[in-house]
Amino acid sequence: AGQSQINLDDVTRVPAAGQDAESRGPDFDNEDDTQWGTHLAMLSGLSQTEADHLETTLKALEDWNFDIHTAAETIADHICQSIFMKLVIHYDLVRVLKLDFDKIFAFAAAIQKSFRPASQVLFHGGLHAADMLQCIHFCLQKPHQDSRGLGFFLDNLDRLVAFCAPLVMNYAHPGVSNTFLCRTRHPRAIRYNDRFVLQNYNLAACFEVVNQPESAFLSHVDR
């Protein structure tokens, strides 16, 4: 409430803070990022020790050899929302897209909460989503000084979409295929008339999350 409406054509042309055509953007350890990191830890309900452990775990996030399984052992209950929010901070998306930090955190936390434990769903869960988030972040970086990463070709709204896609794609995934749902006459298959059942449910459910007042981080953006 009280936020002015902005047009998507406006936000997509804003370059990330500190980035020109050849730069990589702000590091996690600059002053503003530290402040956002502290706020993130508070929203996550982490103690200072847990927050420090989280920072140490995610320091290698830009490395191709980042060990997502070790990270999951350390921050299993927070891994997906933590990586997503770290990337939102890293690319300065809160400021340049005029997002509400608390609301986008609530959105990410709701998605994280929907994932079933690995004992029930081995692949299509939070670990898979976190791994894809880290991979996309790696691809957005410059592979070396004389080349351009994928990020060179994307604007800020593209980056936000690129991070939201892997975050939400496994929302409340039951761990079975569309075919299984259709053949067992699952309520979701009946609801969506056997057409792209998992995908239709996923999008509809995630739109419900993003339309909740506490997680409506896009409420200021024109449809």
Side-chain angles (χ1 to χ4, degrees):
Q3 289 181 305
S4 59
Q5 295 286 315
I6 59 176
N7 190 286
L8 288 181
D9 290 336
D10 296 330
V11 299
T12 56
R13 287 195 289 264
V14 181
Q19 285 193 333
D20 54 27
E22 295 297 325
S23 66
R24 295 179 58 167
D27 294 328
F28 282 152
D29 59 356
N30 70 30
E31 183 179 355
D32 289 339
D33 289 350
T34 300
Q35 293 172 353
W36 282 122
T38 301
H39 190 58
L40 173 60
M42 182 194 71
L43 292 175
S44 301
L46 302 179
S47 67
Q48 187 58 54
T49 300
E50 292 171 325
D52 291 342
H53 202 176
L54 172 63
E55 290 295 327
T56 300
T57 301
L58 297 184
K59 272 188 175 180
L61 198 59
E62 295 184 358
D63 297 339
W64 177 252
N65 294 322
F66 178 75
D67 190 343
I68 195 70
H69 293 278
T70 299
E73 292 173 1
T74 305
I75 52 172
D77 294 337
H78 305 280
I79 185 167
C80 206
Q81 72 190 49
S82 295
I83 291 179
F84 176 79
M85 292 305 299
K86 281 292 185 182
L87 296 177
V88 167
I89 294 169
H90 180 69
Y91 290 93
D92 201 19
L93 298 180
V94 170
R95 185 185 66 81
V96 296
L97 296 181
K98 304 176 184 177
L99 304 176
D100 185 307
F101 188 91
D102 289 11
K103 288 184 178 182
I104 196 170
F105 169 83
F107 170 74
I111 302 301
Q112 172 81 55
K113 189 176 180 180
S114 79
F115 297 136
R116 296 189 179 186
S119 59
Q120 298 179 16
V121 176
L122 184 61
F123 183 70
H124 292 98
L127 185 63
H128 181 213
D131 192 35
M132 289 189 293
L133 279 166
Q134 190 273 332
C135 184
I136 289 174
H137 173 54
F138 177 84
C139 292
L140 291 178
Q141 308 305 306
K142 293 172 60 177
H144 51 80
Q145 187 172 0
D146 298 325
S147 66
R148 298 171 176 174
L150 178 62
F152 176 84
F153 303 97
L154 303 181
D155 56 42
N156 288 299
L157 190 60
D158 291 333
R159 294 183 182 98
L160 179 62
V161 171
F163 296 139
C164 284
L167 176 71
V168 306
M169 68 170 294
N170 290 332
Y171 179 87
H173 200 291
V176 295
S177 67
N178 282 330
T179 300
F180 179 90
L181 294 175
C182 294
R183 289 183 177 176
T184 57
R185 298 183 180 179
H186 191 278
R188 292 185 191 177
I190 295 172
R191 176 184 298 176
Y192 296 109
N193 198 28
D194 292 348
R195 295 181 60 81
F196 308 108
V197 179
L198 290 169
Q199 292 75 16
N200 280 320
Y201 171 79
N202 177 282
L203 289 173
C206 288
F207 270 110
E208 286 185 7
V209 173
V210 83
N211 281 327
Q212 295 300 312
E214 66 275 11
S215 53
F217 69 93
L218 293 175
S219 60
H220 63 298
V221 178
D222 291 340
R223 293 188 63 180

